[in-house]
Amino acid sequence: MVKNPSFSEAKKDDMTGLKVTNLCKIYRESTGEVNALGPVSFEVEAGGVLCFLGPTGCGKTTLLRSIAGLEKPDTGEVRIQSHPDGGEPVIGYVFQQGALFPWMSIFANLEFPLKVKSIDKDTRREKVESMLEMMRLSSFASSFPHQLSGGMQQRAALARSLVMEPDLLLMDEPFSSLDTRTSQELQENLRELLKKASTTVLFVTHNIEEAVYLAGKVIVLGHRPGRIVRRETIDLPDPRSRLSDSFTEYLVSLRKTFESLVSDQ
Amino acid sequence: MGRIGKYLPGLAIPCLLIVWWFAVTGGGRDTLLPSPEEVISVLFHPFQDLISTGSLAWSTLVSLVRVAMGFSLAALIGIPVGLLMGASRSARRFLSLMVEMARPLSAIALLPLSIIIFKAKTFSQLFGLQYLRYQKNLLNEMQLGMIFILFWGGVFPIILGTIQGVRSVRKMHLEAAGILGANRLFTFRHVIIPSALPDIFHGLKLGIGRCWMVIIAAEMLPGTNSGIGYLIRYSYQLSRYDIMLASIVIIAFIGALFSKGLESLGEKSLVLRSKER
Ligand SMILES: Nc1ncnc2c1ncn2[C@@H]1O[C@H](COP(=O)(O)OP(=O)(O)OP(=O)(O)O)[C@@H](O)[C@H]1O
Ligand SMILES: [Mg+2]
């Protein structure tokens, strides 16, 4: 077991997009310790989509934050494949609450990561506009976040992460405040987009259907401190149909795992 | 209700007071307190020379320009110092004891000391414009000591407001900026400053209110012979209570104008922050 947490980049020809070994996180507060996560170990192949399913408070956000480097894990190792041309991997993170900047228009929010990279103005405009188009937010380019519905804010936050063309995309319940229909539409968009890009995706949710629709692999976490209780490969042909028998089989089977978690508690 | 309409309810009590004032002093009675007509007549002739100190407009202008200078200096220094203290722990350690000790020292208490230090120098002397000395010129009225205490009165609310703004930036926004690749400088410029703006404006509003109170008090002290505060003291000595009351009305009006003005400037940033969900 690796004692000291360390971050390193996987070798270039390695086909592993993300490899996490023995990750463990304990929050130390004045009121005591909260054992929030793990240990968990897993890996995602480059360009793959992995989904973590788990009940509330089981450490899903903690897991994503540790991978993104926002939280220092107590033990374990995180390896992220480097950028195709050898540089630092670009990590996109969609926060559970969106975290859009309220003093900037939606356009300026999307432009932010491009400005950071000092990309020229015309290219920025072009990229932001095509991303807004894809997310069906074009008519809200000059609106401020508070003028958008919760679901639109989530979409804008997703757009802001995608516009940086990340190598690894981490998403914390990105569809949680969307109604079923919009959520499905957006999931379809995202699937299309991910197929084209070679982005490795890790997202967490407690919506089983979302997981089965989007992910290539699903991992179920148990109650806090989250540990892996089940790994499932979703072997469904493209395009995925929510009405197919095999889709429903996955749903039912994962639902059963979830129910047993509740009865264990 | 229109733009003016929303101020109407706030005028109800002042109107009642004026009616009462009229009732006790109006109708040509000879009372100690002047009637509203007399005060209004002073207010309606702002360019008339009063008790040989210059006109009401001139006195107001002198006070206003003094405040403009002292307040600008306070903002120019207070905002950067506040940003620095908010952002850097070591700057806070280095400066906060000094600020906490200096803050409760009333600006008025410092006026004599300040005049000693600056030797009653005015702007016209500072710039070597001696020939202005016997003319009526604003630069003759800008005593460095006076500007200094205005700076003193205004700078602390501005520093404290700015620190508060920087410190209350949401952790989530800082993390988002980091994830989106921004370095410290970029984050400071595009995340910390904009989200601190409402508090900075609040500090500026408190600061200008303080400056306005300080200048009136300072001008009432001996050794001053211009400005609206001086007009109050002098008209009182000559028992010209109509001029004294007119000056008070002007002071109240300008004070309200200052704070409303800064409020509306800060409103846009405030709106964005309070509507965040
Ligand atoms: N900064 C923190 N300090 C102390 N405890 C924390 C902190 N953040 C999270 N926790 C605790 O760690 C546990 C896991 O939290 P986490 O936010 O990772 O859960 P989650 O699976 O994302 O939940 P949800 O589905 O509700 O978003 C919770 O019990 C929480 O109370
Ligand atoms: Mg969470």
Side-chain angles (χ1 to χ4, degrees), chain B residues 149-190:
Chain B
I149 60 157
L150 285 172
F151 159 78
W152 188 275
V155 77
F156 296 110
I158 298 176
I159 293 180
L160 295 181
T162 310
I163 294 178
Q164 160 80 16
V166 172
R167 306 274 292 150
S168 61
V169 174
R170 297 186 55 183
K171 188 177 162 223
M172 181 173 79
H173 290 140
L174 292 178
E175 287 179 350
I179 288 276
L180 295 170
N183 60 20
R184 282 186 63 150
L185 192 67
F186 196 93
T187 305
F188 195 72
R189 162 90 180 69
H190 294 276

mmCIF file of all heavy atoms in Angstrom, chain B residues 149-190:
data_model
loop_
_atom_site.group_PDB
_atom_site.id
_atom_site.type_symbol
_atom_site.label_atom_id
_atom_site.label_comp_id
_atom_site.label_asym_id
_atom_site.label_seq_id
_atom_site.Cartn_x
_atom_site.Cartn_y
_atom_site.Cartn_z
ATOM 1 N N ILE B 149 -6.592 65.452 7.756
ATOM 2 C CA ILE B 149 -7.558 64.858 8.697
ATOM 3 C C ILE B 149 -8.775 64.293 7.946
ATOM 4 O O ILE B 149 -9.404 63.356 8.404
ATOM 5 C CB ILE B 149 -8.001 65.813 9.826
ATOM 6 C CG1 ILE B 149 -8.672 67.043 9.259
ATOM 7 C CG2 ILE B 149 -6.834 66.158 10.729
ATOM 8 C CD1 ILE B 149 -9.591 67.696 10.278
ATOM 9 N N LEU B 150 -9.077 64.858 6.784
ATOM 10 C CA LEU B 150 -10.162 64.266 5.979
ATOM 11 C C LEU B 150 -9.761 62.878 5.506
ATOM 12 O O LEU B 150 -10.539 61.930 5.547
ATOM 13 C CB LEU B 150 -10.464 65.145 4.760
ATOM 14 C CG LEU B 150 -11.229 66.405 5.085
ATOM 15 C CD1 LEU B 150 -11.305 67.299 3.863
ATOM 16 C CD2 LEU B 150 -12.622 66.049 5.559
ATOM 17 N N PHE B 151 -8.516 62.786 5.075
ATOM 18 C CA PHE B 151 -7.972 61.487 4.685
ATOM 19 C C PHE B 151 -8.086 60.522 5.857
ATOM 20 O O PHE B 151 -8.565 59.396 5.726
ATOM 21 C CB PHE B 151 -6.507 61.669 4.262
ATOM 22 C CG PHE B 151 -5.692 60.412 4.323
ATOM 23 C CD1 PHE B 151 -5.812 59.459 3.319
ATOM 24 C CD2 PHE B 151 -4.829 60.169 5.381
ATOM 25 C CE1 PHE B 151 -5.076 58.291 3.384
ATOM 26 C CE2 PHE B 151 -4.097 59.009 5.444
ATOM 27 C CZ PHE B 151 -4.221 58.064 4.446
ATOM 28 N N TRP B 152 -7.703 61.001 7.032
ATOM 29 C CA TRP B 152 -7.735 60.168 8.227
ATOM 30 C C TRP B 152 -9.167 59.697 8.531
ATOM 31 O O TRP B 152 -9.411 58.544 8.865
ATOM 32 C CB TRP B 152 -7.186 60.970 9.405
ATOM 33 C CG TRP B 152 -6.985 60.174 10.638
ATOM 34 C CD1 TRP B 152 -7.928 59.891 11.592
ATOM 35 C CD2 TRP B 152 -5.785 59.538 11.055
ATOM 36 N NE1 TRP B 152 -7.384 59.118 12.563
ATOM 37 C CE2 TRP B 152 -6.062 58.879 12.276
ATOM 38 C CE3 TRP B 152 -4.498 59.462 10.516
ATOM 39 C CZ2 TRP B 152 -5.111 58.158 12.963
ATOM 40 C CZ3 TRP B 152 -3.545 58.745 11.218
ATOM 41 C CH2 TRP B 152 -3.851 58.092 12.424
ATOM 42 N N GLY B 153 -10.104 60.626 8.417
ATOM 43 C CA GLY B 153 -11.490 60.271 8.718
ATOM 44 C C GLY B 153 -12.050 59.246 7.743
ATOM 45 O O GLY B 153 -12.832 58.387 8.115
ATOM 46 N N GLY B 154 -11.637 59.350 6.469
ATOM 47 C CA GLY B 154 -12.241 58.502 5.452
ATOM 48 C C GLY B 154 -11.554 57.166 5.256
ATOM 49 O O GLY B 154 -12.180 56.201 4.828
ATOM 50 N N VAL B 155 -10.265 57.094 5.579
ATOM 51 C CA VAL B 155 -9.493 55.943 5.110
ATOM 52 C C VAL B 155 -9.838 54.648 5.856
ATOM 53 O O VAL B 155 -9.847 53.572 5.252
ATOM 54 C CB VAL B 155 -7.974 56.245 5.170
ATOM 55 C CG1 VAL B 155 -7.440 56.147 6.580
ATOM 56 C CG2 VAL B 155 -7.212 55.330 4.244
ATOM 57 N N PHE B 156 -10.190 54.729 7.149
ATOM 58 C CA PHE B 156 -10.376 53.476 7.894
ATOM 59 C C PHE B 156 -11.621 52.694 7.487
ATOM 60 O O PHE B 156 -11.537 51.479 7.284
ATOM 61 C CB PHE B 156 -10.288 53.730 9.398
ATOM 62 C CG PHE B 156 -8.912 54.202 9.789
ATOM 63 C CD1 PHE B 156 -8.697 55.496 10.204
ATOM 64 C CD2 PHE B 156 -7.820 53.354 9.663
ATOM 65 C CE1 PHE B 156 -7.420 55.940 10.518
ATOM 66 C CE2 PHE B 156 -6.537 53.787 9.971
ATOM 67 C CZ PHE B 156 -6.337 55.087 10.398
ATOM 68 N N PRO B 157 -12.770 53.365 7.334
ATOM 69 C CA PRO B 157 -13.912 52.584 6.824
ATOM 70 C C PRO B 157 -13.606 51.951 5.453
ATOM 71 O O PRO B 157 -14.049 50.838 5.184
ATOM 72 C CB PRO B 157 -15.032 53.618 6.689
ATOM 73 C CG PRO B 157 -14.621 54.784 7.480
ATOM 74 C CD PRO B 157 -13.141 54.744 7.648
ATOM 75 N N ILE B 158 -12.829 52.649 4.639
ATOM 76 C CA ILE B 158 -12.516 52.111 3.310
ATOM 77 C C ILE B 158 -11.612 50.888 3.433
ATOM 78 O O ILE B 158 -11.854 49.852 2.800
ATOM 79 C CB ILE B 158 -11.870 53.195 2.421
ATOM 80 C CG1 ILE B 158 -12.844 54.362 2.219
ATOM 81 C CG2 ILE B 158 -11.455 52.613 1.070
ATOM 82 C CD1 ILE B 158 -12.288 55.524 1.445
ATOM 83 N N ILE B 159 -10.592 50.985 4.280
ATOM 84 C CA ILE B 159 -9.702 49.832 4.476
ATOM 85 C C ILE B 159 -10.499 48.641 5.012
ATOM 86 O O ILE B 159 -10.419 47.529 4.473
ATOM 87 C CB ILE B 159 -8.560 50.165 5.468
ATOM 88 C CG1 ILE B 159 -7.609 51.202 4.869
ATOM 89 C CG2 ILE B 159 -7.781 48.907 5.847
ATOM 90 C CD1 ILE B 159 -6.456 51.577 5.788
ATOM 91 N N LEU B 160 -11.296 48.886 6.048
ATOM 92 C CA LEU B 160 -12.005 47.772 6.677
ATOM 93 C C LEU B 160 -13.027 47.153 5.723
ATOM 94 O O LEU B 160 -13.164 45.927 5.648
ATOM 95 C CB LEU B 160 -12.697 48.227 7.964
ATOM 96 C CG LEU B 160 -11.741 48.660 9.066
ATOM 97 C CD1 LEU B 160 -12.505 49.066 10.313
ATOM 98 C CD2 LEU B 160 -10.752 47.542 9.420
ATOM 99 N N GLY B 161 -13.736 47.991 4.951
ATOM 100 C CA GLY B 161 -14.700 47.470 3.983
ATOM 101 C C GLY B 161 -14.013 46.603 2.941
ATOM 102 O O GLY B 161 -14.501 45.527 2.582
ATOM 103 N N THR B 162 -12.860 47.073 2.459
ATOM 104 C CA THR B 162 -12.146 46.324 1.427
ATOM 105 C C THR B 162 -11.637 44.992 1.971
ATOM 106 O O THR B 162 -11.769 43.955 1.303
ATOM 107 C CB THR B 162 -10.975 47.162 0.883
ATOM 108 O OG1 THR B 162 -11.464 48.461 0.532
ATOM 109 C CG2 THR B 162 -10.373 46.520 -0.334
ATOM 110 N N ILE B 163 -11.095 45.012 3.197
ATOM 111 C CA ILE B 163 -10.629 43.746 3.790
ATOM 112 C C ILE B 163 -11.801 42.775 3.880
ATOM 113 O O ILE B 163 -11.715 41.623 3.456
ATOM 114 C CB ILE B 163 -10.061 43.977 5.212
ATOM 115 C CG1 ILE B 163 -8.798 44.825 5.145
ATOM 116 C CG2 ILE B 163 -9.753 42.642 5.888
ATOM 117 C CD1 ILE B 163 -8.207 45.151 6.502
ATOM 118 N N GLN B 164 -12.898 43.273 4.406
ATOM 119 C CA GLN B 164 -14.095 42.448 4.554
ATOM 120 C C GLN B 164 -14.505 41.833 3.214
ATOM 121 O O GLN B 164 -14.821 40.650 3.122
ATOM 122 C CB GLN B 164 -15.210 43.332 5.133
ATOM 123 C CG GLN B 164 -16.617 42.843 4.945
ATOM 124 C CD GLN B 164 -16.951 41.776 5.960
ATOM 125 O OE1 GLN B 164 -16.242 41.625 6.946
ATOM 126 N NE2 GLN B 164 -18.014 41.034 5.714
ATOM 127 N N GLY B 165 -14.474 42.663 2.168
ATOM 128 C CA GLY B 165 -14.846 42.170 0.837
ATOM 129 C C GLY B 165 -13.925 41.060 0.362
ATOM 130 O O GLY B 165 -14.386 40.028 -0.122
ATOM 131 N N VAL B 166 -12.632 41.269 0.508
ATOM 132 C CA VAL B 166 -11.675 40.267 0.029
ATOM 133 C C VAL B 166 -11.821 38.971 0.825
ATOM 134 O O VAL B 166 -11.789 37.877 0.274
ATOM 135 C CB VAL B 166 -10.235 40.810 0.133
ATOM 136 C CG1 VAL B 166 -9.221 39.725 -0.183
ATOM 137 C CG2 VAL B 166 -10.055 41.977 -0.817
ATOM 138 N N ARG B 167 -12.013 39.125 2.157
ATOM 139 C CA ARG B 167 -12.085 37.949 3.009
ATOM 140 C C ARG B 167 -13.364 37.156 2.788
ATOM 141 O O ARG B 167 -13.434 35.994 3.142
ATOM 142 C CB ARG B 167 -12.001 38.355 4.488
ATOM 143 C CG ARG B 167 -10.792 39.190 4.804
ATOM 144 C CD ARG B 167 -9.576 38.393 5.113
ATOM 145 N NE ARG B 167 -9.708 37.673 6.362
ATOM 146 C CZ ARG B 167 -9.106 36.520 6.611
ATOM 147 N NH1 ARG B 167 -8.370 35.964 5.690
ATOM 148 N NH2 ARG B 167 -9.262 35.928 7.773
ATOM 149 N N SER B 168 -14.406 37.796 2.258
ATOM 150 C CA SER B 168 -15.667 37.069 2.139
ATOM 151 C C SER B 168 -15.870 36.471 0.750
ATOM 152 O O SER B 168 -16.949 36.022 0.421
ATOM 153 C CB SER B 168 -16.843 37.972 2.527
ATOM 154 O OG SER B 168 -16.882 39.079 1.668
ATOM 155 N N VAL B 169 -14.827 36.461 -0.053
ATOM 156 C CA VAL B 169 -14.924 35.767 -1.340
ATOM 157 C C VAL B 169 -15.229 34.302 -1.060
ATOM 158 O O VAL B 169 -14.664 33.698 -0.152
ATOM 159 C CB VAL B 169 -13.586 35.859 -2.105
ATOM 160 C CG1 VAL B 169 -13.628 35.023 -3.361
ATOM 161 C CG2 VAL B 169 -13.296 37.281 -2.454
ATOM 162 N N ARG B 170 -16.144 33.733 -1.840
ATOM 163 C CA ARG B 170 -16.545 32.357 -1.544
ATOM 164 C C ARG B 170 -15.468 31.372 -1.980
ATOM 165 O O ARG B 170 -14.912 31.478 -3.061
ATOM 166 C CB ARG B 170 -17.880 32.054 -2.223
ATOM 167 C CG ARG B 170 -18.965 32.950 -1.655
ATOM 168 C CD ARG B 170 -20.301 32.594 -2.183
ATOM 169 N NE ARG B 170 -20.606 31.180 -1.943
ATOM 170 C CZ ARG B 170 -21.705 30.604 -2.359
ATOM 171 N NH1 ARG B 170 -22.591 31.299 -3.031
ATOM 172 N NH2 ARG B 170 -21.924 29.338 -2.126
ATOM 173 N N LYS B 171 -15.215 30.402 -1.119
ATOM 174 C CA LYS B 171 -14.178 29.396 -1.358
ATOM 175 C C LYS B 171 -14.439 28.682 -2.684
ATOM 176 O O LYS B 171 -13.526 28.405 -3.455
ATOM 177 C CB LYS B 171 -14.198 28.409 -0.192
ATOM 178 C CG LYS B 171 -13.051 27.424 -0.206
ATOM 179 C CD LYS B 171 -13.109 26.520 1.035
ATOM 180 C CE LYS B 171 -12.258 25.280 0.836
ATOM 181 N NZ LYS B 171 -12.940 24.070 1.318
ATOM 182 N N MET B 172 -15.730 28.424 -2.931
ATOM 183 C CA MET B 172 -16.115 27.728 -4.156
ATOM 184 C C MET B 172 -15.631 28.475 -5.410
ATOM 185 O O MET B 172 -15.152 27.864 -6.358
ATOM 186 C CB MET B 172 -17.645 27.645 -4.157
ATOM 187 C CG MET B 172 -18.263 26.954 -5.317
ATOM 188 S SD MET B 172 -20.040 26.774 -5.026
ATOM 189 C CE MET B 172 -20.618 28.423 -5.432
ATOM 190 N N HIS B 173 -15.739 29.815 -5.379
ATOM 191 C CA HIS B 173 -15.309 30.573 -6.555
ATOM 192 C C HIS B 173 -13.793 30.559 -6.710
ATOM 193 O O HIS B 173 -13.281 30.542 -7.823
ATOM 194 C CB HIS B 173 -15.834 32.008 -6.470
ATOM 195 C CG HIS B 173 -17.322 32.084 -6.641
ATOM 196 N ND1 HIS B 173 -18.122 32.917 -5.905
ATOM 197 C CD2 HIS B 173 -18.148 31.403 -7.458
ATOM 198 C CE1 HIS B 173 -19.377 32.750 -6.255
ATOM 199 N NE2 HIS B 173 -19.429 31.836 -7.198
ATOM 200 N N LEU B 174 -13.087 30.563 -5.587
ATOM 201 C CA LEU B 174 -11.629 30.490 -5.668
ATOM 202 C C LEU B 174 -11.210 29.137 -6.237
ATOM 203 O O LEU B 174 -10.313 29.047 -7.078
ATOM 204 C CB LEU B 174 -11.002 30.681 -4.284
ATOM 205 C CG LEU B 174 -11.160 32.072 -3.683
ATOM 206 C CD1 LEU B 174 -10.546 32.113 -2.294
ATOM 207 C CD2 LEU B 174 -10.497 33.109 -4.587
ATOM 208 N N GLU B 175 -11.875 28.084 -5.758
ATOM 209 C CA GLU B 175 -11.546 26.744 -6.251
ATOM 210 C C GLU B 175 -11.856 26.633 -7.738
ATOM 211 O O GLU B 175 -11.070 26.074 -8.510
ATOM 212 C CB GLU B 175 -12.328 25.682 -5.477
ATOM 213 C CG GLU B 175 -11.809 25.476 -4.068
ATOM 214 C CD GLU B 175 -12.600 24.430 -3.292
ATOM 215 O OE1 GLU B 175 -13.669 24.002 -3.773
ATOM 216 O OE2 GLU B 175 -12.150 24.061 -2.215
ATOM 217 N N ALA B 176 -13.005 27.186 -8.139
ATOM 218 C CA ALA B 176 -13.374 27.121 -9.557
ATOM 219 C C ALA B 176 -12.316 27.828 -10.401
ATOM 220 O O ALA B 176 -11.876 27.304 -11.428
ATOM 221 C CB ALA B 176 -14.747 27.756 -9.776
ATOM 222 N N ALA B 177 -11.874 28.998 -9.942
ATOM 223 C CA ALA B 177 -10.856 29.729 -10.702
ATOM 224 C C ALA B 177 -9.586 28.899 -10.822
ATOM 225 O O ALA B 177 -8.978 28.820 -11.894
ATOM 226 C CB ALA B 177 -10.549 31.064 -10.017
ATOM 227 N N GLY B 178 -9.202 28.256 -9.736
ATOM 228 C CA GLY B 178 -8.009 27.415 -9.757
ATOM 229 C C GLY B 178 -8.148 26.270 -10.748
ATOM 230 O O GLY B 178 -7.238 26.002 -11.539
ATOM 231 N N ILE B 179 -9.285 25.600 -10.706
ATOM 232 C CA ILE B 179 -9.533 24.480 -11.618
ATOM 233 C C ILE B 179 -9.518 24.971 -13.068
ATOM 234 O O ILE B 179 -9.059 24.271 -13.968
ATOM 235 C CB ILE B 179 -10.905 23.835 -11.300
ATOM 236 C CG1 ILE B 179 -10.827 23.052 -9.995
ATOM 237 C CG2 ILE B 179 -11.364 22.948 -12.426
ATOM 238 C CD1 ILE B 179 -10.304 21.661 -10.123
ATOM 239 N N LEU B 180 -10.014 26.178 -13.281
ATOM 240 C CA LEU B 180 -10.062 26.687 -14.659
ATOM 241 C C LEU B 180 -8.706 27.223 -15.099
ATOM 242 O O LEU B 180 -8.578 27.809 -16.169
ATOM 243 C CB LEU B 180 -11.131 27.780 -14.780
ATOM 244 C CG LEU B 180 -12.569 27.291 -14.554
ATOM 245 C CD1 LEU B 180 -13.533 28.456 -14.448
ATOM 246 C CD2 LEU B 180 -13.009 26.344 -15.656
ATOM 247 N N GLY B 181 -7.708 27.047 -14.269
ATOM 248 C CA GLY B 181 -6.330 27.327 -14.681
ATOM 249 C C GLY B 181 -5.792 28.683 -14.273
ATOM 250 O O GLY B 181 -4.661 29.014 -14.605
ATOM 251 N N ALA B 182 -6.583 29.478 -13.553
ATOM 252 C CA ALA B 182 -6.139 30.838 -13.246
ATOM 253 C C ALA B 182 -5.030 30.832 -12.188
ATOM 254 O O ALA B 182 -5.104 30.082 -11.223
ATOM 255 C CB ALA B 182 -7.313 31.667 -12.743
ATOM 256 N N ASN B 183 -4.020 31.664 -12.368
ATOM 257 C CA ASN B 183 -2.988 31.798 -11.347
ATOM 258 C C ASN B 183 -3.436 32.841 -10.321
ATOM 259 O O ASN B 183 -4.536 33.376 -10.413
ATOM 260 C CB ASN B 183 -1.638 32.170 -11.970
ATOM 261 C CG ASN B 183 -1.701 33.480 -12.725
ATOM 262 O OD1 ASN B 183 -2.598 34.290 -12.497
ATOM 263 N ND2 ASN B 183 -0.778 33.690 -13.626
ATOM 264 N N ARG B 184 -2.578 33.110 -9.340
ATOM 265 C CA ARG B 184 -3.000 33.988 -8.242
ATOM 266 C C ARG B 184 -3.364 35.383 -8.708
ATOM 267 O O ARG B 184 -4.360 35.972 -8.287
ATOM 268 C CB ARG B 184 -1.884 34.072 -7.194
ATOM 269 C CG ARG B 184 -1.841 32.851 -6.302
ATOM 270 C CD ARG B 184 -0.836 33.027 -5.215
ATOM 271 N NE ARG B 184 -1.207 34.154 -4.349
ATOM 272 C CZ ARG B 184 -0.900 34.229 -3.074
ATOM 273 N NH1 ARG B 184 -0.209 33.257 -2.516
ATOM 274 N NH2 ARG B 184 -1.251 35.265 -2.362
ATOM 275 N N LEU B 185 -2.551 35.921 -9.615
ATOM 276 C CA LEU B 185 -2.789 37.290 -10.072
ATOM 277 C C LEU B 185 -4.107 37.394 -10.848
ATOM 278 O O LEU B 185 -4.916 38.292 -10.627
ATOM 279 C CB LEU B 185 -1.615 37.739 -10.950
ATOM 280 C CG LEU B 185 -1.600 39.232 -11.239
ATOM 281 C CD1 LEU B 185 -1.337 39.996 -9.942
ATOM 282 C CD2 LEU B 185 -0.544 39.563 -12.279
ATOM 283 N N PHE B 186 -4.309 36.430 -11.743
ATOM 284 C CA PHE B 186 -5.534 36.416 -12.551
ATOM 285 C C PHE B 186 -6.752 36.270 -11.638
ATOM 286 O O PHE B 186 -7.756 36.961 -11.813
ATOM 287 C CB PHE B 186 -5.471 35.254 -13.552
ATOM 288 C CG PHE B 186 -6.462 35.368 -14.674
ATOM 289 C CD1 PHE B 186 -6.109 35.963 -15.878
ATOM 290 C CD2 PHE B 186 -7.747 34.857 -14.528
ATOM 291 C CE1 PHE B 186 -7.022 36.062 -16.916
ATOM 292 C CE2 PHE B 186 -8.666 34.958 -15.563
ATOM 293 C CZ PHE B 186 -8.294 35.557 -16.753
ATOM 294 N N THR B 187 -6.640 35.371 -10.650
ATOM 295 C CA THR B 187 -7.742 35.165 -9.714
ATOM 296 C C THR B 187 -8.027 36.443 -8.941
ATOM 297 O O THR B 187 -9.176 36.821 -8.736
ATOM 298 C CB THR B 187 -7.392 34.038 -8.722
ATOM 299 O OG1 THR B 187 -7.057 32.883 -9.464
ATOM 300 C CG2 THR B 187 -8.547 33.730 -7.805
ATOM 301 N N PHE B 188 -6.963 37.136 -8.532
ATOM 302 C CA PHE B 188 -7.134 38.363 -7.772
ATOM 303 C C PHE B 188 -7.895 39.392 -8.598
ATOM 304 O O PHE B 188 -8.867 39.986 -8.152
ATOM 305 C CB PHE B 188 -5.761 38.912 -7.386
ATOM 306 C CG PHE B 188 -5.830 39.947 -6.321
ATOM 307 C CD1 PHE B 188 -6.134 39.587 -5.019
ATOM 308 C CD2 PHE B 188 -5.608 41.279 -6.616
ATOM 309 C CE1 PHE B 188 -6.225 40.540 -4.020
ATOM 310 C CE2 PHE B 188 -5.700 42.239 -5.619
ATOM 311 C CZ PHE B 188 -5.991 41.860 -4.332
ATOM 312 N N ARG B 189 -7.462 39.538 -9.843
ATOM 313 C CA ARG B 189 -8.018 40.566 -10.710
ATOM 314 C C ARG B 189 -9.456 40.238 -11.151
ATOM 315 O O ARG B 189 -10.314 41.097 -11.185
ATOM 316 C CB ARG B 189 -7.081 40.682 -11.925
ATOM 317 C CG ARG B 189 -7.613 41.346 -13.144
ATOM 318 C CD ARG B 189 -7.353 42.824 -13.120
ATOM 319 N NE ARG B 189 -7.884 43.431 -14.322
ATOM 320 C CZ ARG B 189 -9.173 43.533 -14.578
ATOM 321 N NH1 ARG B 189 -10.058 43.068 -13.715
ATOM 322 N NH2 ARG B 189 -9.596 44.104 -15.696
ATOM 323 N N HIS B 190 -9.712 38.974 -11.471
ATOM 324 C CA HIS B 190 -11.000 38.640 -12.083
ATOM 325 C C HIS B 190 -11.991 37.970 -11.146
ATOM 326 O O HIS B 190 -13.159 37.823 -11.488
ATOM 327 C CB HIS B 190 -10.779 37.744 -13.309
ATOM 328 C CG HIS B 190 -10.068 38.445 -14.423
ATOM 329 N ND1 HIS B 190 -10.727 39.238 -15.330
ATOM 330 C CD2 HIS B 190 -8.764 38.498 -14.752
ATOM 331 C CE1 HIS B 190 -9.851 39.735 -16.193
ATOM 332 N NE2 HIS B 190 -8.651 39.302 -15.855
#
